[in-house]
Amino acid sequence: LLDAAAGATGGSGWRELRDLEQVVEMQITVQGQQLPLTMRSVRTSDGSLFMSQRLPFGEMSMARGAKGAWRKSPRGIADLVGDDLAKMDEESARDFWSLFGNPDGQEAQALGAEEVEGKSCDAVRIVSGPAEGLLLFLDAATRLPVAIRYRDQSITGDPVTATEIFDDFRDAGPVKLPRAIRILQDGAP
């Protein structure tokens, strides 16, 4: 199933990537208020990663490279270590490049059919590695990802079950990426 999903989203194109930049503009709901959020990430084939989030109250960014990792926030610049670095690695492990760039390197378990967003899907659980516990729902006909589900933290730091729902896949260089993503936390937008 992972091989089929990798093929549906670009196949060998994932191994051809040298870098991938994604810019996401969204509205988040926090305690009933809508806030605009712009996220930008740049990832390279050598494992370097830069992520930034622009919120109304300021910008936060994080980077990881061969010589270390850091975070910049309105409070200043600090090295990324421990839980913060693990969180960055978890987020990176959930992206399509990590999941489909080397599907043979993932250990997964097929869980059977499940309906998600009105689509018949095959559910797959990643059972080892940085994305361990992630549930991936693949369209039974096209094998394109319909959603992923994982444990996360809300913007307030509370534990939640997050579900990312994907739609409108389009070519992005040698791969296909969704142009629309909805994120639910414990079932709420």
Side-chain angles (χ1 to χ4, degrees):
L1 289 170
L2 285 178
D3 284 340
T9 57
S12 64
W14 290 108
R15 288 184 286 281
E16 295 171 16
L17 288 180
R18 299 287 176 254
D19 58 73
L20 180 64
E21 178 180 15
Q22 294 179 286
V23 177
V24 178
E25 294 182 9
M26 67 175 76
Q27 295 286 325
I28 60 173
T29 305
V30 178
Q31 298 175 342
Q33 291 186 338
Q34 294 282 322
L35 299 173
L37 169 68
T38 302
M39 295 187 334
R40 177 176 175 253
S41 67
V42 179
R43 182 173 167 197
T44 62
S45 58
D46 70 359
S48 297
L49 178 63
F50 172 81
M51 297 169 27
S52 68
Q53 296 179 347
R54 189 176 315 128
L55 292 155
F57 49 83
E59 184 170 340
M60 298 183 296
S61 53
M62 297 185 291
R64 180 187 63 219
K67 296 187 179 191
W70 55 266
R71 171 190 19 223
K72 180 180 177 188
S73 72
R75 297 183 207 166
I77 298 174
D79 287 337
L80 265 178
V81 295
D83 290 344
D84 292 331
L85 193 54
K87 176 86 171 143
M88 190 177 199
D89 289 340
E90 286 173 20
E91 288 177 17
S92 182
R94 290 192 298 259
D95 74 23
F96 286 178
W97 195 353
S98 294
L99 291 171
F100 305 137
N102 181 16
D104 295 336
Q106 301 283 344
E107 199 170 322
Q109 174 186 16
L111 299 177
E114 190 166 328
E115 188 169 313
V116 178
E117 294 292 300
K119 296 178 181 175
S120 177
C121 295
D122 288 307
V124 177
R125 178 187 307 277
I126 305 299
V127 296
S128 68
E132 183 176 352
L134 177 119
L135 290 173
L136 175 64
F137 301 94
L138 304 174
D139 185 294
T142 66
R143 296 299 186 222
L144 287 171
V146 172
I148 60 173
R149 188 172 297 142
Y150 51 92
R151 293 296 301 156
D152 201 16
Q153 288 183 335
S154 70
I155 197 164
T156 59
D158 297 322
V160 295
T161 297
T163 304
E164 295 181 24
I165 302 164
F166 309 112
D167 199 15
D168 192 18
F169 278 81
R170 297 186 196 175
D171 290 339
V175 298
K176 288 181 189 272
L177 295 172
R179 295 293 175 142
I181 303 170
R182 284 186 302 126
I183 302 173
L184 307 176
Q185 291 185 339
D186 288 340

